[in-house]
Amino acid sequence: MDCYNCKAKSVCAAVVQPGSVICLMNRMRYCGTHAEEEPRRQQGDYCQYCGHRLREIGRERFCNNVNCQNRYVNV
């Protein structure tokens, strides 16, 4: 999921691990740091993977379905 929102993913090799030194160099060269990126939020109140309603805790939203692969990811 780290590479999904990265602006440098088009120039990054497939073998680069998220958080490695090469990843950091690519981010600094092409798009900045993790702190400068704003995570994308899913539209609507339902999970895009399973369709169940999202649960809000503060500003974070999580899937309420125990069998969903996206359960512990902030959407």
Side-chain angles (χ1 to χ4, degrees):
M1 293 299 267
D2 291 331
C3 296
Y4 182 73
N5 295 330
C6 182
K7 296 176 187 173
K9 67 183 173 185
S10 62
V11 295
C12 204
V15 295
V16 175
Q17 295 292 319
S20 67
V21 175
I22 301 297
C23 175
L24 177 67
M25 288 174 28
N26 285 340
R27 284 180 176 271
M28 293 298 287
R29 185 179 301 144
Y30 296 105
C31 67
T33 62
H34 287 287
E36 294 171 354
E37 291 183 5
E38 184 176 319
R40 296 180 185 167
R41 289 186 58 98
Q42 172 183 318
Q43 297 294 325
D45 292 333
Y46 295 93
C47 180
Q48 63 186 353
Y49 296 102
C50 68
H52 281 79
R53 189 154 178 90
L54 296 174
R55 179 176 179 198
E56 290 192 34
I57 302 173
R59 290 182 45 181
E60 298 180 343
R61 301 183 316 166
F62 300 95
C63 183
N64 217 12
N65 182 8
V66 274
N67 296 323
C68 183
Q69 65 181 359
N70 200 34
R71 181 170 185 198
Y72 299 108
V73 178
N74 180 17
V75 291

